[in-house]
Amino acid sequence: MNHLRVDIAVVGAGPAGLQAALAAAEARVRVALIDRYPRPGGQYFRQPRSEPALASAVARQPKAQALFQRVHRAENVVYWPETGVWAAFPSDGDEWLLALDGPDAPARLVARSLVLATGAYDRPIAFPGWTTPGVYTAGAVQTLLKSEGVLPGRRVLFTGSGPLQWAVAAAVADAGAEVILLEAVSRARLFSLSGLLALWRQGERLREARAYWRSLRRGAAEIRFGWAVVEVRGEAEVEEVIIARLDDQWRPIAGTEASWAADAVVIGYGFLPENRLAQLLGCAEDFAPHLGGYIPRRDETMQCSLPGVYVVGDAAGIRGADVAQLEGRIAGLAAAARVQARSAVSLQAALRPYQISLAQTRRFAHWLGRTFTPGPGLYRLARDDTTLCRCEEVRLADVRAAVANGAGSLDEVKAMTRAGMGYCQGRICGEILVHGMMRSNPPTSTYWREFQRLGRFRVRPPLFPLTLQSLAQG
Ligand SMILES: Cc1cc2nc3c(=O)[nH]c(=O)nc-3n(C[C@H](O)[C@H](O)[C@H](O)COP(=O)(O)OP(=O)(O)OC[C@H]3O[C@@H](n4cnc5c(N)ncnc54)[C@H](O)[C@@H]3O)c2cc1C
């Protein structure tokens, strides 16, 4: 059997995984770094597949290049790109078994410790017309631009909340498209006292924000605060976009609707943590809507409830690249100390400076989460004929019919409608379906409690589609 043993397996070569691998390698343990993408960097440090046509739109990141090189030079790190981890299990003794699918990697890997740094993915929001060709997520547009140098359209309308859509809109404007940006959060909320306090000592973030603002202004972009797209019309392409002003629960205010023209619509309402490997292993979880929903419960070394399993970066709650790097560093050091059976006292001393920085950096990330996480009103935009599960073409009306016929949990809706049984295995539609199951006007104060009560899909391997050959080998 094609299978190998290492001290630490790091899944994900984004900011968190790279720092974890580097910290562990510096402590002289054997590390395997695994990532599905062809090049290291994850989302924030994403590198173009080749030199892009729109090179000016892609930020040069010298810090990232230095990090790649240090990991690359470490002799005790083996790096497998284009390799997915499609399952994880406890192995004999105190070890963990990963099933891999990639050109050069073994089919199975046994590790004494795991660092799961699997990142996040775009949060989908269902509204009438969200499946029309020409409607993208902000992450997809960023990937198109960064990896392929391709623009989504000539007149591009962004609807969402938070930094990613601003970053992508600025890049799209720099690349020459006409941009309209609707930020769902109102100006008053954004520039409130808590907002200004959160920005205290965030010089780098302020510089980034200023650069986005300048790019958008240079491109004569139209910017509105407290507005969102509520409907996209068109069959084979985007023909008309309906926008509306939102109230403080993110509900469209009747009478404010307006019609706009655009040839692409970009949805950017933040991210959901990609932590299915942690779920599969059975890590205990908490529910934190402002961090993206279900997140693994961890101690101060980033270890979850299972000994030797560490979860870091956006996979453990959406907090951005700076937090991801600090968490990765902490987990790498802690995992190495565990493998080497080093004393808790020496580990604590090594972790202390990173933990102090982490506490400061997290404060800003938590303000971002509290400010930009969509309110319940946004999830009421879908109508009976709106598709919620794209793979199996299940509409809101089908979900409501299942609930009326007695389905009391997401798994029961799945059994009755096939929602979540398609290619994405519920990764995209899971959250949308639960919102669709909610009573028509649940009180805002109990919204998230009700949301949790309806449950979510159980994770089962394989985590992504595999060839029969990979399945047989694994
Ligand atoms: C689409 C998108 C765009 C973003 N753009 C920005 C931006 O412009 N500016 C900004 O400040 N922040 C951005 N963010 C947020 C920022 O990327 C993150 O905060 C930061 O990258 C988190 O780092 P990470 O290491 O936790 O995860 P990531 O950078 O997401 O890296 C996770 C890595 O894990 C790999 N992976 C996941 N599952 C598996 C598996 N089963 N097997 C193998 N490999 C796996 C992925 O291929 C990926 O490379 C973006 C996030 C997303 C999702």
Side-chain angles (χ1 to χ4, degrees), residues 11 34-37 80-87 99-103 105 107 464 466:
V11 187
I34 307 149
D35 199 294
R36 289 186 75 180
Y37 293 148
W80 289 307
E82 294 185 271
T83 300
V85 177
W86 57 267
L100 312 185
D101 180 35
F464 43 82
L466 284 179

Side-chain angles (χ1 to χ4, degrees), residues 12 14-16 35-37 42-44 85 117-120 142 164 271 313-314 320-321:
D35 199 294
R36 289 186 75 180
Y37 293 148
Q43 296 294 350
Y44 187 61
V85 177
T118 42
Q142 191 183 50
L164 177 68
F271 311 109
D314 279 0

Side-chain angles (χ1 to χ4, degrees), residues 403-417:
V403 171
N405 285 323
S409 70
L410 185 57
D411 273 330
E412 284 167 11
V413 167
K414 177 180 184 173
M416 289 162 83
T417 65

Side-chain angles (χ1 to χ4, degrees), residues 143-402:
T143 304
L144 263 183
L145 204 56
K146 277 191 183 179
S147 302
E148 317 292 343
V150 169
L151 276 170
R154 281 191 302 273
R155 185 173 155 86
V156 186
L157 197 157
F158 286 78
T159 182
S161 55
L164 177 68
Q165 74 149 353
W166 285 79
V168 181
V172 167
D174 281 343
E178 189 186 340
V179 166
I180 303 146
L181 189 148
L182 306 181
E183 167 57 63
V185 176
S186 68
R187 209 184 269 265
R189 179 147 163 64
L190 212 48
F191 299 108
S192 63
L193 184 61
S194 73
L196 296 175
L197 286 175
L199 288 170
W200 177 250
R201 295 207 182 145
Q202 295 296 331
E204 200 175 330
R205 295 288 156 260
L206 279 171
R207 274 190 293 281
E208 272 177 23
R210 206 176 308 132
Y212 301 152
W213 184 262
R214 284 209 184 115
S215 292
L216 290 166
R217 281 292 171 220
R218 224 179 6 250
E222 159 101 25
I223 302 172
R224 288 193 182 194
F225 291 88
W227 286 75
V229 168
V230 295
E231 182 176 354
V232 171
R233 294 181 183 157
E235 284 299 317
E237 59 183 4
V238 175
E239 286 166 14
E240 186 187 6
V241 186
I242 310 299
I243 67 170
R245 187 187 277 282
L246 302 180
D247 69 12
D248 60 354
Q249 299 301 315
W250 300 51
R251 288 174 300 224
I253 300 172
T256 62
E257 296 85 356
S259 165
W260 284 57
D263 52 12
V265 172
V266 182
I267 311 172
Y269 285 103
F271 311 109
L272 299 177
E274 168 53 80
N275 51 27
R276 288 176 303 157
L277 281 171
Q279 282 178 54
L280 194 59
L281 286 167
C283 297
E285 291 180 315
D286 290 314
F287 183 73
H290 71 288
L291 297 177
Y294 294 95
I295 51 171
R297 191 173 304 152
R298 302 172 297 166
D299 65 17
E300 70 282 4
T301 70
M302 309 300 137
Q303 186 173 229
C304 76
S305 57
L306 305 172
V309 179
Y310 301 79
V311 191
V312 289
D314 279 0
I318 308 302
R319 296 184 178 95
D322 293 341
V323 169
Q325 292 194 71
L326 287 163
E327 290 189 356
R329 187 94 203 147
I330 291 170
L333 289 171
R338 184 175 182 278
V339 166
Q340 294 165 331
R342 275 179 35 212
S343 82
V345 178
S346 77
L347 174 65
Q348 266 165 12
L351 296 186
R352 188 89 191 115
Y354 300 111
Q355 283 169 337
I356 292 171
S357 303
L358 184 61
Q360 286 164 355
T361 318
R362 274 184 180 171
R363 266 199 290 279
F364 177 62
H366 288 187
W367 173 79
L368 284 179
R370 281 194 304 273
T371 305
F372 292 110
T373 298
L378 202 68
Y379 298 105
R380 319 310 299 169
L381 296 178
R383 292 198 291 250
D384 269 354
D385 61 351
T386 306
T387 300
L388 300 190
C389 165
R390 302 177 75 151
C391 304
E392 295 291 330
E393 297 184 358
V394 178
R395 299 161 312 146
L396 177 59
D398 305 318
V399 172
R400 289 198 169 141

